[in-house]
Amino acid sequence: MGRVITPSFDRRSDATHGRQAGTDASDRPSPLFSDAEIWARDYSLGDGMVFGVCAVAEILSRHLGRDGRWPVLLLDLLEIANRHAEDCQHSLSKCARVLKDLIVSGLGRENFQDLSAALLIVDLIEYTPKYRKKSRK
């Protein structure tokens, strides 16, 4: 499945992707995702969750590298969020909290915008299904 989804992010790659960010704002790479792309998704549905996990994976691979704990945490987040069961809410919150702690630990001036977007997406994956259930009653 990763091979099917990952190529869609190649369009976002540009010359600044691999370059180290300088202190000047013009040297910083542009954000990977716009606000509209993030807010336009319904994270209570499967395709929204997959988009969110892939978006966070792209951001984290860009700023934290491809190795580490985050790939497993993202897959766990997707699996637990996809269950939509009320008894899974604790597990979802725990997994999201660990992932957000990891993201915050890598936060810096040069990657603030992208990692803030990753935090927002993780929050949306965590809270949107619960909100949708309550609003349908």
Side-chain angles (χ1 to χ4, degrees):
M1 186 162 142
R3 290 187 187 131
V4 174
I5 296 168
T6 310
S8 65
F9 294 110
D10 288 341
R11 66 182 173 84
R12 299 178 192 284
S13 298
D14 58 11
T16 62
H17 181 78
R19 192 171 47 155
Q20 288 288 346
T23 56
D24 185 19
S26 63
D27 288 343
R28 293 186 187 144
S30 60
L32 287 170
F33 298 95
S34 70
D35 291 345
E37 286 178 294
I38 294 170
W39 288 108
R41 305 291 176 153
D42 183 352
Y43 295 93
S44 66
L45 302 175
D47 62 335
M49 285 185 271
V50 170
F51 167 81
V53 166
C54 291
V56 172
E58 182 67 18
I59 291 168
L60 295 182
S61 69
R62 179 183 198 180
H63 296 289
L64 302 181
R66 296 193 185 273
D67 298 330
R69 294 183 340 186
W70 65 263
V72 173
L73 292 172
L74 273 176
L75 290 176
D76 289 347
L77 182 72
L78 179 61
E79 178 185 354
I80 295 167
N82 194 37
R83 289 188 206 152
H84 286 293
E86 196 63 37
D87 58 332
C88 293
Q89 190 60 42
H90 176 71
S91 299
L92 179 62
S93 294
K94 183 179 177 183
C95 183
R97 184 176 53 247
V98 172
L99 184 58
K100 288 186 273 189
D101 288 345
L102 182 74
I103 294 169
V104 168
S105 71
L107 204 59
R109 257 189 223 181
E110 68 281 351
N111 61 13
F112 180 80
Q113 194 166 7
D114 279 345
L115 291 185
S116 295
L119 288 170
L120 172 64
I121 293 169
V122 172
D123 276 342
L124 289 169
I125 291 171
E126 179 182 3
Y127 294 115
T128 300
K130 186 167 72 170
Y131 171 76
R132 292 265 190 241
K133 278 186 176 181
K134 287 183 179 179
S135 65
R136 288 182 187 146
K137 290 180 181 179

